[in-house]
Amino acid sequence: MQRLERADPEIARLITAEHKRQNETLELIASENHVSIPVLKALGSVLTDKYAEGYPSTRWYCGCDTVDSVEQVAIDRAKKLFGADHANVQPHCGTSANLGVYLAAIKPGAKIMGMNLSHGGHLSHGLKINVSGQFYKTACYGVEKETEQLDLDIVRKQVLEEKPDILVAGASAYSRKIDFEAFGNIAKEAGAILLSDIAHIAGLVVTGQHPDPTPHSDFVTTTNHKTLRGPRGGIILCKSKWAKKIDQAIFPGLQGGPMMHSIAAKAVSFHEAMQPEFKTYTAKIISNAKTMASELMDKGWRLVSGGTDNHLMLIDIRSKLPDVTGHDAAIWLATAGIVCNKNAIPFDSRPPVQASGLRFGTPAITTRGLGDDEIKTLIELVDKILMSHGDREIIDQAGKVVAELCKAFPVPNYNM
Ligand SMILES: *Cc1c(COP(=O)(O)O)cnc(C)c1O
């Protein structure tokens, strides 16, 4: 860091500022986490210098012996961690991983069917302005109005009607377990390929805290940087019969040279995820989420679907404040150092930029070590801030308590 400060004080100052921001606020964004120092070390290594187009032992450039070993270790660990036949660790992000699957498995004009974005799906599952919605026909399924949960009997009927070529199971804002086995059966019956996208829940899946999609899916994709707590990036897992096609789809189909520094950091995070402490961590993510959900409901906030089975929850702001938008609520909380995101809720009456929901997740605060007591304190503050309509004095008082919590539970120390 000192060398960077000397060479480029402008960027050094900004990195320090972001470190300070992370350390002095509580991160409730469900898709974020704080990686370990070993992961950061690998990410900031000289591996970034190396061009390695291709795959271990079949590269286009010379000098790849070491990075071949790095990628092979990452692949072997990913296969072991997820129990998969084949792993591709090169996707630059989760969206690229999904596009890689489409490129490998279907032709432009074929049909993708995923979860409705406004019910918790992801833009790479067929949103009109995403590549997935421009090059392919799309259809979607969603949650039921009554339960705000997926009803797999109804999903089955919709899938059989739509006859998609690829069925996508997985979500960004769904607080209940996803029945991948049922999705597998539906896909089989409909003659569709099943892509299970576990970007949000990967850490829970690999530690047995969420049903495993691998045995039921043709492809499993994930990000590395959410509950899995690794560097920003994507991973694809698949059955052997797709191995060659998926590798060709990622390179040369979709990407050029892989980011070897990122692949090394992925490998480090896979190793961490295989340790017993990681299972303790993911169990705590879920128990913290349960505590958070019950504290919120005790205070009269309605949660979409009435609770959570995983690491996140959606709060229906209208349940206590009919006139307040998710947009305003998120800003009030952020001013006090409680960082979350506004989120559309199923059948939302407001446009997504305003939204009637807030999405809360526990992966990052659990990494810092917060437990039941701190979460109770935190939800007290949330309730006070929201009910005051973002009153300046209340926010200031809450901000002081947040600062104390942050001091007691620092983020992994990034002095390197
Ligand atoms: C986060 C997420 C992705 C992709 O994330 P990137 O931002 O492209 O890395 C894909 N699918 C789901 C369900 C996600 O939640």
Side-chain angles (χ1 to χ4, degrees):
M1 215 37 209
Q2 276 164 3
R3 278 189 224 176
L4 180 60
E5 270 157 26
R6 277 200 298 273
D8 190 338
E10 196 176 5
I11 287 296
R13 186 179 57 75
L14 292 171
I15 293 174
T16 306
E18 173 59 10
H19 182 188
K20 188 168 143 66
R21 184 196 71 81
Q22 290 186 13
N23 203 40
E24 295 179 359
T25 57
L26 292 174
E27 190 57 71
L28 296 186
I29 295 178
S31 49
E32 294 190 10
N33 213 327
H34 303 289
V35 298
S36 70
I37 294 171
V39 167
L40 273 186
K41 272 282 179 196
L43 206 51
S45 70
V46 295
L47 296 180
T48 191
D49 292 344
K50 189 68 196 111
Y51 243 115
E53 284 179 330
Y55 291 95
S57 78
T58 56
R59 306 285 189 188
W60 284 89
Y61 298 149
C62 294
C64 285
D65 292 358
T66 311
V67 292
D68 273 6
S69 301
V70 169
E71 186 166 349
Q72 197 56 54
V73 169
I75 291 168
D76 292 342
R77 287 181 185 171
K79 280 161 63 175
K80 189 169 169 211
L81 184 62
F82 291 92
D85 293 347
H86 180 73
N88 187 307
V89 294
Q90 293 192 0
H92 298 329
C93 65
T95 299
S96 303
N98 287 341
L99 295 181
V101 171
Y102 304 147
L103 191 60
I106 55 175
K107 293 262 176 290
K111 194 190 265 187
I112 299 170
M113 184 168 184
M115 188 159 163
N116 191 334
L117 185 70
S118 65
H119 292 196
H122 188 261
L123 55 95
S124 62
H125 299 175
L127 183 70
K128 278 284 162 247
I129 54 172
N130 183 261
V131 182
S132 58
Q134 293 198 22
F135 291 3
Y136 305 99
K137 292 194 198 79
T138 60
C140 65
Y141 58 86
V143 298
E144 290 309 299
K145 206 160 187 172
E146 277 297 296
T147 58
E148 296 171 303
Q149 299 191 39
L150 293 171
D151 179 329
L152 274 295
D153 291 330
I154 294 170
V155 173
R156 175 178 165 271
K157 283 194 197 107
Q158 292 170 333
V159 172
L160 291 174
E161 221 161 84
E162 290 286 350
K163 298 189 181 57
D165 297 283
I166 288 196
L167 176 62
V168 187
S172 302
Y174 186 63
S175 64
R176 297 301 182 174
K177 288 203 167 98
I178 295 173
D179 186 346
F180 292 113
E181 188 175 0
F183 268 104
N185 291 335
I186 293 168
K188 253 190 221 115
E189 192 180 351
I193 290 163
L194 179 63
L195 162 58
S196 296
D197 178 349
I198 56 168
H200 261 263
I201 54 173
L204 311 182
V205 167
V206 299
T207 48
Q209 320 271 357
H210 187 288
D212 182 5
T214 314
H216 315 292
S217 313
D218 297 280
F219 297 94
V220 175
T221 55
T222 183
T223 55
N224 206 160
H225 48 271
K226 298 179 184 173
T227 51
L228 198 51
R229 205 164 64 181
R232 194 156 292 283
I235 309 158
I236 303 170
L237 305 141
C238 64
K239 302 243 193 291
S240 308
K241 69 165 187 173
W242 289 108
K244 214 169 162 183
K245 276 202 163 156
I246 203 69
D247 285 353
Q248 280 171 351
I250 291 298
F251 173 84
L254 201 62
Q255 297 183 172
M259 301 201 210
M260 294 315 308
H261 57 303
S262 176
I263 289 173
K266 285 175 184 175
V268 175
S269 73
F270 299 155
H271 179 68
E272 289 179 352
M274 288 176 200
Q275 306 311 310
E277 301 80 52
F278 194 74
K279 186 168 181 168
T280 312
Y281 163 63
T282 58
K284 191 73 192 160
I285 291 178
I286 294 176
S287 75
N288 274 344
K290 290 224 183 299
T291 302
M292 186 178 276
S294 71
E295 290 298 310
L296 283 163
M297 290 187 293
D298 280 354
K299 299 213 173 324
W301 296 99
R302 195 186 80 80
L303 298 186
V304 169
S305 85
T308 178
D309 298 328
N310 58 21
H311 63 296
L312 68 79
M313 63 212 71
L314 280 180
I315 302 157
D316 183 351
I317 295 294
R318 301 170 307 187
S319 55
K320 282 182 85 172
L321 296 167
D323 299 329
V324 173
T325 62
H327 175 83
D328 287 344
I331 290 173
W332 297 338
L333 295 177
T335 312
I338 300 167
V339 184
C340 69
N341 61 281
K342 67 181 169 204
N343 214 103
I345 62 175
F347 311 99
D348 206 324
S349 47
R350 296 191 175 109
V353 285
Q354 292 176 355
S356 300
L358 289 176
R359 189 182 66 164
F360 279 9
T362 53
I365 56 169
T366 305
T367 291
R368 294 178 78 156
L370 273 72
D372 290 346
D373 290 346
E374 293 78 27
I375 285 170
K376 281 178 193 161
T377 307
L378 180 59
I379 297 309
E380 291 274 332
L381 301 177
V382 166
D383 186 64
K384 269 195 198 140
I385 294 166
L386 296 181
M387 293 316 290
S388 77
H389 285 77
D391 177 80
R392 197 63 239 189
E393 217 164 287
I394 301 278
I395 286 180
D396 285 347
Q397 281 167 16
K400 287 194 185 111
V401 183
V402 171
E404 280 165 29
L405 282 173
C406 290
K407 222 171 164 184
F409 297 91
V411 295
N413 191 351
Y414 294 169
N415 294 326
M416 48 191 290

